[in-house]
Every structure is written in C-alpha cells, then in structure tokens.
Amino acid sequence: TYDICEVRPGPNLNMIVGANGTGKSSIVCAICLGLAGKPSFIGRADKVGLFVKQGCLKGVVEIELSKTPDNIVITREIQVVNNTSAWFINRKPTTLKTVEEQIAALNIQVDNLCQFLPQDKVGEFAKLSKIELLEATEKSIGPPEMYQFHCELKNFREKERELEVIIHIIETESSDCRETSIIKCNNLCRDKTNSLEKMRQRIERYKQDVERYHERKRHLDLIEMLERKRPWVEYENVRQQHEEVKQSRDQAKEELKNLKEMQSPVTKKIQETEEYYKSLDMKIRDKAAEIKDISQKCKQKQDALELKDKQIEEIHQALRMKKDEEMDRQRKIHNTHKMIEDWKNELNTMAVCENLQPQTDAVNNELKKLQEERANIDSDISDLTAEKMNQEREKKRIIDRLGQLNNIMNMKEENLKGRFRDTHSALMWLRKNKDKFKKKVCEPMMLEINMKDNRHAKYVENHISANDMRAFVFESQEDMEMFLLEMRDHQKLRVNAVCAPAESRAESLPSRPIEELHRYGFFSYLRELFDAPHPVMSYLCAQYRVHDVPVGTEKTRNMIERVIQETKLKQIYTAEEKYIVKVSAYTNLTLSTNTSLRVAQFLTSSVDTDERRQLENQQQDINNTLKSLDMRLTTLFERQKRLEHRDNELRQQKKELLERGNRRRQLESKIGVKYDSLKQLEQDAINLEKESQQANVKIKEINIQKARLVTELMHLIKNCLSQNFIKADLVLQSTTVAAEKNRLESEYKAASVQLRAAEQQFRELDDRKRVLTENCKELLKKARQVCKLSPDQHLPKEFQTAFQTLPTTLEEIDAFLNEEKTRASCFTGLNASVVEEYNKQTQEIEQLTKYLEEKKNELDNYKQNISQVKEKWLNPLKKLIEQINEKFSNLFSSMQCVGEVDLHVENEEEYDKYGIRIRVKFHSSTELHELTPYHQSGGEKSVS
C-alpha cells in the first residue's frame, strides 16, 4: 500500500489497532525485522526478501530508540535478489552481532511473546505452558535480577537433589538396601548411623573368616615346603642308586678285562691253524687245476683220434662215390644208345612231310583280322576311359562345391541351434519323420530363405518378424496341427509354425512395375532379393506382401517426403531406414514413422539356390553319363575277352602246324646231339683200381698218425693218475687241520659265551648308570625349579633349616602331605578376597564417614542459599503477578467478563515447575477455565 511510511509512537505503545489492510502488520514487521528479529518470529514468511514491496529490489527499515545519553538509530537494508541485509548504527555500517548486543542492552526481546506479540503469533501465545509464560513474564517486565534469581533457585535445587541422591546411593550400597525413593537429609543422617553399625557388625564376622584364612594359609605354606623338599628326597634316593650301580659297573669292567686276557692265546692258535688250512686249500686247488689241464689235453688227443677215424671214413666214402659214379656213367651210355635207336626207328617209319602251307595261311589271315578288331576295341576303351576320368573330375568339383554350400547351411543351422535350441531340436525330429506328413513341410524360414546378395539381408530380416524367421511352413493345416501337438504337448518344445495359403500367392504381381519407381531411387521389390521354396514365398507374399514392398537407396532417403506424397506406398525401405506410411481415418492426414534398420543376424550366410539346383542337376547328369560309360566299357571288355580267347586258339593251331612240319628236322638234330653226348660219356671213364690203391695209401698214413696220438694219450693218463694221488694226500691233510681248527673254535666259542655274558652285564650296568645320571640331573633341575633356584645356586640355609624339621623319606613326606591337604581342605569357602574385603570395608567406613559429613555440610549450605534466594525472588514475583491480576481482572470486568492471573505452584521446592496460570470466563453460565490452545475460541484467545 505504501512506498514509504514514518511512525512516531509515544512512550507507552502497547497495541496497534486498525481495519484490515491499513498497515498494522507493516509496522509490526518493521519493528521485528529492524530490531534484529528473524522472519520466523512474525510467522508470515521464511526469507527477509519476501517482506519487500513487490516490484522493488530493496527495502529499508530505520528505527530510533530512546537511550541515555543519546538516542541510537538502527537501519537495515534488505536486498531482494540475494536475500541479504546490510546493518547501520547511526548511519555507520556495522554487523548483526553488534546490533543484537545493542538491542539486548535495552532489554528488547522481539522473540518474547509477552513483550512483542504479532497478530499471526496469537495462537503461539495460547500454546505457551505455564512455566514458559512465567519465564517470558520475568524477562519482559520483571526486574533484571528476577529471572536470574529464578535460574539460581533451579540450579541450587538441582544440586540439592544431586547431593540427596548421592548420599542415598552411598547408604543403600553400604547397607545392601535397594530402596528407590529419595529421602530427606535428616532421614539420611539418621539411617547413616544404622548403616555404619551394620558395617561394623559385618567386619566382626569378617574377622573370624580372616583368622580361619590365616590358619588355612599356615597349612598351605607347610604343604608348599613339603612339596619343595619332596624332589630333593627323590634326588637323594636316585643319587644313592647311581653310586651303587657305578661300583657294580666298575667291578664288571675289571672282570671283562681279565676274560679278554685269558682268551688271547687261543685266538692266536686258531689264527695259525686257519693260515695252514688256507695254504693246504690253495695247494689242493693248484693240483685240481693241473689235473684239469692234463684232462683237457687227454680230451684233445681223443678228439684228434676221432678226427683221424672220420678222415678214414671219408676216404672210404669217396671211393664208394667213384664206384657209384662209374656205374651211373655206364647206365647213361646204355640209355643213350636206346634213345638213339628209338628215334632212328621213328625216322624210318615217318612219311614224307605233307604240305601244311594252306592251313597256315588261313590261320594267319584270321589272326590279322582279329588283331585289327582288337586294336579298334582298345581305342574305343581308351576313349571311353578318358571320358570317364573327365566326368569323374567334374563330379568331384561339383561335390566339393556342394560341400561348400552345405557348410554354409551347417553354419545357418548352428546359428539356429545357438539362438533357438527348441527350434533346432524340432528340426532334427522333422528330418527323421518327414514320412509322417501328407504334404510338403518346409524347414524354418531362416534356413529356407537364400539371399541373392548378402548385403540385402537386413531388408528381409527387418521386414519379417523374428518369430516367423524361426517358423516351420506347412502346406496342410492338418500337418501343422499334428506337428505342433507333438512339439508343444509331447516334447514340451517352444516352436512356431505357419501354414501357407491354400491358393498360392507366390506369383502375385506388384501394384506397379519397379521401372516406374526407378526415378525415386528404388531398385527392386523385396521378393526379388531372395529365393525361397514355393510355400515359403507364398506365405511371405500373403502375410508380408514382399512382392509389393520396394527397396530404395540413399537417393530415396534424400527425397522421402516427395516419395511418400507421390507414390502413396504403405511401406518403404531406404539404404538404412524403414518407413511405414498411414493415413488418419479422422483427419485424412498422411502420417509416417521411420526406424533404423537392425543389423542382419540370420540371412547373412545365404546359399545360391539356383547354383545349388544347377549343381545337383549337373551331378545327376554326370552320374547318368558315368553309368552309361560303365555299361559300354563292360560290353567292350567282354568283347575284348572273347577276341583274346579266339586269338589264343588260332595261335595254338598255328603252333601245332609248325610243329608238325619241324618234327623230322628235330629228330635228326636230337640224334646228332645224343651222339655227341655219348662220345663225351665214353671219354669220362673212371679207373677204379687206381682209385682203390690211392685210398689205401692215404688210410695207411692216417693209421701211423693215430698210433702216435695213442702213445701220447697213455703218457697223459699216467701223469693225471699221479697228480690225483698227490691231491688225495693233500685233502687228507686238510681234513685233519680242519678238525683241529673246529676243536679250537669250539673251545673259543665256549669262552666267548662267558665273555659276551660279561660284556652284556657291563653294558646293562653302564646303561643303567647313564639313565640314573640323567634322572639325577632331571630331579636336581626339578628340585631347583621348585625352590626357584638358579643352576649354580646352592640350597639356602632357611630351606635347609626348614627341611630338617620335616620327614626324611618319601613315604613319610607323602603321608604328611595328605594329612595337611586334608586339613587345608576343611577350610572351605575362604580365599584371599576375604582379607581384601575386610580391609576394604574398614577403609570404606572411614571414607564414607568423612564423605557423608562433607556432603551433609554442603547440603546444609545449599539449603541456606535456597532460602535466601527464594525470599528475594518469590516476594517481588508475587507482587508483580498481583498487579497484573488486578489490571487483568479490571479489564475483563469492563467487558462484563471475568479474568484472573495467579502464580501456579505444585511443589514449593520444585522451582522449575513454577508457572503463571491465566483463567478466563466469557459467559455468565460457565466457570472459570484456564486459557489453553483448545478450550477457547480464536477471538477469546486474542482478547485474553
């Protein structure tokens, strides 16, 4: 309403009234904000910038306050843009903290509803509790020391309660009391005397337990001393055993030495006998070797005699062979004479040679014709074989190419298996069970569709749904239902299947020739980009209209708006996008949506079906050609075989004719050869008498050599017998020496048994001594550890003195130990804590007595302070409230209502519970009611 306003209030301003919109809140807000108040004190906005007039960027509040000796002027500039404030005192820049200090020095409290009550905070005033209302009243109109006295009283009372609680806790802990109420100081002091008496009685009971503890300690000390002496007694016992064993060991050592000295001569004699026995054994072995050498020479002589006998036998055998050879020569001469006689008789009886030339010429002519025919057949076979090899090479090339195409199909099947495992399982089942269907069944479309150019696969894949790409295509609805029943219900496979239209749509024509669309960049319809079996193509034309969806280039994309307008096509493909065009049924507007083409996944590995079909046809033709060639070759081979057989027959006939003409010449020639052979046999005659004489001379010479060998053999036999006699004598001597040696060894063995027994006794005593030595060391170490002595420290005199009064044997010590342990076990339920508790209770009584005395004195001081401060605070407060009540009652009486203000006290000693209670009555028919946020109406609360 106002751009600028200046207000000059009098000295007793306590209320601002006016009609709505006259500016009451502007004055109140200016007072609050200008005196360092926060926006929340007013209750209208949370930022100071919102209090500036709309349309302005800055607002200013200036307040002049009365102060001795000079007034102060506080100025606040509020910036709307950044919601900040600048402060000035007497036109000089200052800080908010300095302003707050000046305001507090004048006891101005804009946050105190009893001193500053904006209209929007009336409800907040009614919500103040009695305690808050008292404190606000003390701060706003009471003397400065009134609120201070009130705070001191609350602090003193808090300390008083703490002291009472402390004293109560000490007493309850000492007397094991678990009371929860806090009692007055006089009761605490009175009960404290009883508590201390109970503690003293408890100490008397502890005293008896302490005496029993000390008695038990004496038994335990004696047990400890016995346990210390026991290892020393054990050590002494083992040490005495060690000395006895040591003496026995030394005695055994001396006996062992004497036995070894007595056995020394026997040992020497045994060694001498052993040496003599060895020398005899050496001589026997030498003789045996010499006899063996002589025997070997005898064997050689015997072998030489046997060899001479063999030589004589060989001479006799050679003579017999000469005789047999001469007899064989006589027999051959006789046989030769007979053969010559027979052939001469055959010549005499053989007729004059007949004329065989005509027959021979006829056979030759037939052979010539036969050879010409065979040559022609060989040529035909060669040509057919070459042609067959060419066909087989072509067949291999076709098979290799078909293998490559099948590999592509395998890749497509692997792709299907990886992406749609259920579909692949169904495919495997279908290939094994095609005979179960009445009509043709096509495999999944992604296997049947073959792109003519793999670059165009993305158009087809973006046009056909993924579900149809893996769908099987049936010509019969019945076949499809049977297939789906088997797959989905029986084998639980998730597969898709479609049925081709009953009437074929594969040859459907497009709505316009593609040539009409060339000017827009279109180069083909989708159908012309791929090959597929007839049912698949029929389904795609019916379902997806592939025959009428053109495919364009980047040129199409650049002029797409013109294409859509002029062609009226429903679906369009550009190089990288797909467009779907629709016409709104309501507005008749053309709407188009375009999507980017997905990368092809299924059809990139396509097989050229034309090439595959052409290759399969070529393969079939080649198979037929090879079959025909094999039949022709078989016929030629059979014919060749027959001609070869006829050739052999003719050659045999020719051979027989030739042999018939050459027989006489052959017989004459053979007779001449036999005469030559007979002449040679007669020249090879053997002189048997001369051969017999030469054999006798050789045998005589060999017998002379045999006589010389027999003489040498007899001499060797005699020498061998004499050497055997010498060996036998040596063996007898060796036997005598061996017997003597055995006798000495038996005597030595008997002495050795006694020696070993002595050695065994010595070793046992030595081992026992060593064990006892170790035991002595261990027991000594244990005894020192029990007495807590170092290895080189002797047993202290106090231990020696104490040990003298104790038993000296292990049995007595163990009996004494058991007795003392039994006595000590009788003192049950005692431990060192009994003595500690006794001492602790004694100290606690002293400390508690002193501490309680101090706290009682401190409590008395606080009570005295509370009494003094209470008098200074409570009397002025009552007078102040009486004045407020008088004025408040008068004002309400003037309005024909009743109002009272009084000091509300629940407990005089609970100073933090004091409060001001306001009670009002606006109707004569009601009673006085306390002013609360809920009982009175809004107007009644505002008036109050």
Side-chain angles (χ1 to χ4, degrees), residues 557 560 564 569-574 577-583 590-597:
R557 171 68 182 84
I560 189 64
I564 292 173
L569 292 168
K570 303 299 182 184
Q571 293 188 69
I572 299 170
Y573 283 93
T574 64
E577 292 178 328
K578 174 184 178 181
Y579 287 84
I580 299 176
V581 182
K582 295 181 180 179
V583 178
T590 301
L591 306 175
S592 67
T593 58
N594 67 309
T595 55
S596 297
L597 297 181

Side-chain angles (χ1 to χ4, degrees), residues 158-377:
E158 184 66 27
K159 290 289 185 182
E160 182 184 21
R161 277 200 295 265
E162 289 178 2
L163 289 171
E164 288 175 351
V165 171
I166 290 172
I167 294 170
H168 173 68
I169 290 173
I170 292 172
E171 287 196 339
T172 54
E173 285 184 352
S174 302
S175 61
D176 295 332
C177 180
R178 292 296 179 267
E179 298 176 358
T180 57
S181 62
I182 300 176
I183 60 177
K184 299 297 182 179
C185 184
N186 293 334
N187 293 336
L188 291 174
C189 293
R190 185 176 64 252
D191 293 342
K192 185 58 187 169
T193 305
N194 296 333
S195 177
L196 290 175
E197 184 62 29
K198 290 179 181 178
M199 291 177 67
R200 292 190 182 97
Q201 291 175 5
R202 190 181 298 107
I203 286 175
E204 286 299 323
R205 290 197 302 272
Y206 283 163
K207 190 173 182 181
Q208 296 175 4
D209 292 340
V210 169
E211 289 176 356
R212 294 178 67 238
Y213 174 80
H214 285 306
E215 185 176 355
R216 179 173 176 272
K217 185 72 167 58
R218 286 193 295 274
H219 288 295
L220 293 177
D221 291 342
L222 183 57
I223 290 170
E224 184 179 2
M225 192 57 67
L226 285 168
E227 289 177 344
R228 284 178 174 173
K229 182 176 180 180
R230 192 179 190 285
W232 287 101
V233 174
E234 285 182 335
Y235 164 70
E236 185 61 28
N237 291 342
V238 175
R239 190 187 66 78
Q240 290 177 3
Q241 293 178 19
H242 175 266
E243 291 298 327
E244 293 173 0
V245 172
K246 182 180 178 184
Q247 292 177 2
S248 300
R249 190 203 70 146
D250 294 342
Q251 185 178 356
K253 185 177 182 182
E254 187 65 26
E255 292 178 359
L256 181 62
K257 181 180 178 184
N258 294 333
L259 286 173
K260 286 182 177 180
E261 290 176 353
M262 290 171 61
Q263 202 172 14
S264 180
V266 179
T267 304
K268 184 177 180 182
K269 192 170 183 181
I270 289 174
Q271 289 177 352
E272 292 175 353
T273 306
E274 180 73 24
E275 291 175 0
Y276 183 50
Y277 178 77
K278 287 181 179 178
S279 65
L280 287 173
D281 188 58
M282 183 65 71
K283 290 179 181 179
I284 289 171
R285 283 199 295 272
D286 292 343
K287 286 298 177 184
E290 188 175 354
I291 291 170
K292 184 179 180 181
D293 184 55
I294 295 171
S295 299
Q296 186 68 27
K297 290 180 179 178
C298 290
K299 180 69 169 59
Q300 291 176 356
K301 297 299 181 182
Q302 288 176 349
D303 292 342
L305 286 171
E306 291 178 359
L307 180 62
K308 296 302 179 182
D309 290 337
K310 286 183 180 180
Q311 290 177 354
I312 292 172
E313 182 61 29
E314 289 175 356
I315 292 171
H316 285 303
Q317 181 67 24
L319 183 60
R320 284 195 296 273
M321 290 177 66
K322 291 289 184 181
K323 290 179 179 180
D324 293 339
E325 186 178 348
E326 178 60 21
M327 290 176 65
D328 185 57
R329 188 185 68 83
Q330 293 293 336
R331 187 170 54 256
K332 285 181 178 180
I333 291 172
H334 178 265
N335 291 334
T336 302
H337 280 298
K338 187 175 184 304
M339 290 176 66
I340 291 171
E341 187 66 26
D342 291 340
W343 287 342
K344 284 181 177 181
N345 292 332
E346 186 178 355
L347 281 174
N348 293 330
T349 59
M350 184 177 293
V352 180
C353 181
E354 56 185 328
N355 187 10
L356 301 176
Q357 192 59 38
Q359 298 179 25
T360 303
D361 292 341
V363 170
N364 286 334
N365 291 333
E366 189 175 354
L367 276 173
K368 185 176 180 182
K369 292 179 181 179
L370 197 65
Q371 287 174 355
E372 290 176 355
E373 189 175 356
R374 287 182 65 186
N376 293 332
I377 291 174

Side-chain angles (χ1 to χ4, degrees), residues 72 210 343 401 439 538 582 606 682 783 796 800 807 853 902:
I72 62 171
V210 169
W343 287 342
R401 180 55 184 162
K439 293 187 177 182
S538 178
K582 295 181 180 179
S606 295
E682 289 174 350
Q800 295 179 12
E853 194 65 33
D902 61 359

Side-chain angles (χ1 to χ4, degrees), residues 853-868:
E853 194 65 33
E854 292 175 355
K855 291 300 176 183
K856 286 177 182 178
N857 294 335
E858 189 176 351
L859 184 59
D860 291 339
N861 292 335
Y862 271 111
K863 287 185 176 293
Q864 186 176 357
N865 290 336
I866 288 172
S867 179
Q868 293 173 358

Side-chain angles (χ1 to χ4, degrees), residues 58 166 245 347 384 397 491 765:
K58 182 175 73 171
I166 290 172
V245 172
L347 281 174
L384 291 175
R397 184 190 68 79
Q491 299 191 25
L765 290 171

